[in-house]
Amino acid sequence: MKMRYNMKNKKNSKKNKTFTRDFWLCLLVFIALIGAICYLPTYFTESERYNFNKDTGIIGDTIGGIMGPFVAIAAAILTFLAFWVQFKANEQLRNDISVERFESKFYKLLDIHMQNVNSIKIDDKKGRDAFKYLTGIYFYMYDIIQKIYKDNSHVDNPTNEQREMLTRMTYGFFFYGEKFVYHSFTSTEENYLYEEIKKKLSIINSSISYNIIDGYNTYLGHYYRNLFQIVDFVANYNENLIDEKQKYGYVKMVRAQLSDYEQIMLYYNSISDAGKKWNTIKDSKSNLPQAKMGYIARFKLIKNIPFDSLIGLWPNLKYKDEINVYQSLGERFFEHNFIKCTL
């Protein structure tokens, strides 16, 4: 709650623009005008250019006739400034209400995310322990699929592109099971591999304690949909109310709720066909280099990923261009300086 209060105070202090530079400029002009008006009677009565006598009437009437329009103009300007201040105050109030509504929805979605994590139960594993369990299943499936690929293609050391293909295919079978339909074929070799895996899936399933036939979509589908909705909601919110730095701060709170194994599975999900939106939705109209990246890179959602527990395509190669951009900005994409992954 304290974190929420502090962030809100920072936004309010930054967004409070009732007394802007233009306001103070107008106020100085107004004060100067009032000073000039106060000086005009002295100027008219003491100047040799103006001769007050019985023909000009009483001095007070003359001064009143001369000063009347100026006083009226000053009153009109003062009234305008009063309305202008009230308008800016109302505008600020509307912005504050909008930010409060945003925060209310954001924290509600975050609460739902935590509920989703705690509700996941696979065999005797629950919550964050379930993600550790699922990561082990995914790694086991990747090893099997990679072995099938190497046996059929006679490739001992797959390229980065081949590892990405193996990652997509492995996650597809992991997520959908035997119902998985692969849509990312780039060669007949991939098509052949897909058919070989489908043939051997039931045989593999019968020899292990895991149930990979049905897949784990029913356990993880709602989890990833809500997680994506949170990040997408923050990313697309009005930048005039919440700027990019503040958006990163909100998503950073989301990332803080992700365990190491959740970040690992999020990374593999983002490479797959099921989660490709994590990397494809970008704000091409923005002038900020971060906003032109996909959500994974834009908000560094896998910044704390444990590098020594990965398999397949290395994240530092997947996000090589994004890492270079952050380095040019003096920022780090990952918490650690190096990556060591299992091939």
Side-chain angles (χ1 to χ4, degrees):
M1 183 65 68
K2 185 175 181 181
M3 182 188 301
R4 185 189 308 190
Y5 177 77
N6 290 340
M7 179 171 286
K8 184 177 176 180
N9 280 349
K10 288 179 182 179
K11 287 196 293 288
N12 286 343
S13 63
K14 182 178 180 179
K15 297 297 182 180
N16 191 345
K17 296 183 179 180
T18 301
F19 301 103
T20 59
R21 184 178 178 181
D22 292 338
F23 170 81
W24 293 112
L25 180 62
C26 292
L27 183 61
L28 288 175
V29 172
F30 175 73
I31 292 174
L33 181 60
I34 293 297
I37 291 174
C38 293
Y39 173 73
L40 284 177
T42 303
Y43 172 75
F44 286 131
T45 55
E46 296 183 357
S47 175
E48 296 180 356
R49 297 178 58 185
Y50 303 97
N51 182 22
F52 290 93
N53 51 46
K54 62 181 181 179
D55 295 327
T56 60
I58 301 174
I59 293 178
D61 292 339
T62 304
I63 297 294
I66 295 173
M67 296 299 298
F70 295 101
V71 172
I73 292 173
I77 294 175
L78 185 61
T79 302
F80 167 76
L81 289 175
F83 278 114
W84 184 69
V85 170
Q86 184 61 46
F87 167 76
K88 298 298 288 184
N90 292 338
E91 185 180 52
Q92 180 63 40
L93 180 61
R94 287 194 299 269
N95 292 344
D96 290 343
I97 293 174
S98 297
V99 171
E100 287 179 1
R101 289 175 178 172
F102 163 83
E103 287 193 336
S104 177
K105 183 174 181 179
F106 170 79
Y107 287 108
K108 184 176 181 179
L109 289 171
L110 192 58
D111 288 340
I112 294 174
H113 168 76
M114 298 305 299
Q115 294 173 21
N116 287 340
V117 173
N118 295 328
S119 67
I120 295 177
K121 184 177 181 180
I122 303 174
D123 296 337
D124 61 339
K125 306 297 188 298
K126 186 177 180 180
R128 288 193 169 92
D129 290 337
F131 279 91
K132 182 178 180 180
Y133 181 67
L134 289 170
T135 303
I137 296 175
Y138 175 85
F139 285 176
Y140 180 81
M141 293 181 65
Y142 184 91
D143 285 337
I144 292 175
I145 290 175
Q146 182 175 236
K147 185 177 184 304
I148 295 174
Y149 177 73
K150 288 181 178 181
D151 291 343
N152 287 276
S153 63
H154 306 292
V155 175
D156 293 329
N157 187 20
T159 65
N160 294 328
E161 291 75 16
Q162 290 168 338
R163 289 196 185 105
E164 184 167 359
M165 178 270 294
L166 291 171
T167 300
R168 288 198 307 269
M169 196 170 294
T170 301
Y171 196 89
F173 282 107
F174 165 83
F175 199 67
Y176 296 110
E178 62 181 356
K179 297 179 181 179
F180 171 53
V181 178
Y182 192 59
H183 296 291
S184 303
F185 294 117
T186 58
S187 66
T188 55
E189 183 182 49
E190 290 183 35
N191 190 11
Y192 178 79
L193 175 62
Y194 169 75
E195 296 298 335
E196 283 294 303
I197 297 170
K198 291 207 71 173
K199 290 177 185 177
K200 298 179 180 180
L201 196 63
S202 58
I203 300 175
I204 297 170
N205 189 73
S206 62
S207 63
I208 60 176
S209 58
Y210 310 133
N211 180 17
I212 61 177
I213 288 293
D214 297 329
Y216 294 92
N217 179 30
T218 55
Y219 298 98
L220 297 174
H222 65 290
Y223 168 87
Y224 284 117
R225 284 191 294 271
N226 183 72
L227 183 60
F228 181 85
Q229 185 180 1
I230 297 174
V231 178
D232 189 62
F233 171 64
V234 175
N236 291 294
Y237 200 74
N238 189 344
E239 62 182 9
N240 293 323
L241 298 178
I242 299 178
D243 59 29
E244 184 68 18
K245 184 176 181 180
Q246 291 170 328
K247 289 179 179 180
Y248 179 81
Y250 281 109
V251 179
K252 185 178 179 180
M253 281 191 276
V254 178
R255 188 184 70 208
Q257 310 307 314
L258 303 179
S259 67
D260 289 351
Y261 291 101
E262 285 180 83
Q263 290 194 32
I264 290 174
M265 294 311 295
L266 174 61
Y267 168 61
Y268 293 131
N269 176 270
S270 69
I271 297 177
S272 70
D273 292 337
K276 60 185 178 182
K277 285 186 177 181
W278 287 108
N279 291 316
T280 57
I281 295 182
K282 304 175 183 180
D283 187 359
S284 58
K285 297 181 181 179
S286 176
N287 294 324
L288 299 174
Q290 300 97 318
K292 297 180 183 295
M293 303 175 184
Y295 290 161
I296 295 290
R298 177 177 176 180
F299 299 111
K300 304 178 188 176
L301 283 167
I302 58 172
K303 182 177 181 179
N304 312 108
I305 196 169
F307 298 154
D308 57 349
S309 301
L310 299 178
I311 192 170
L313 181 67
W314 296 8
N316 64 330
L317 298 177
K318 172 66 177 176
Y319 298 106
K320 181 179 179 180
D321 294 337
E322 290 85 349
I323 291 173
N324 290 334
V325 171
Y326 277 114
Q327 286 179 343
S328 67
L329 297 173
E331 300 180 26
R332 294 168 63 174
F333 189 96
F334 295 108
E335 186 177 20
H336 304 284
N337 290 324
F338 63 91
I339 282 184
K340 181 180 179 181
C341 299
T342 303
L343 298 180

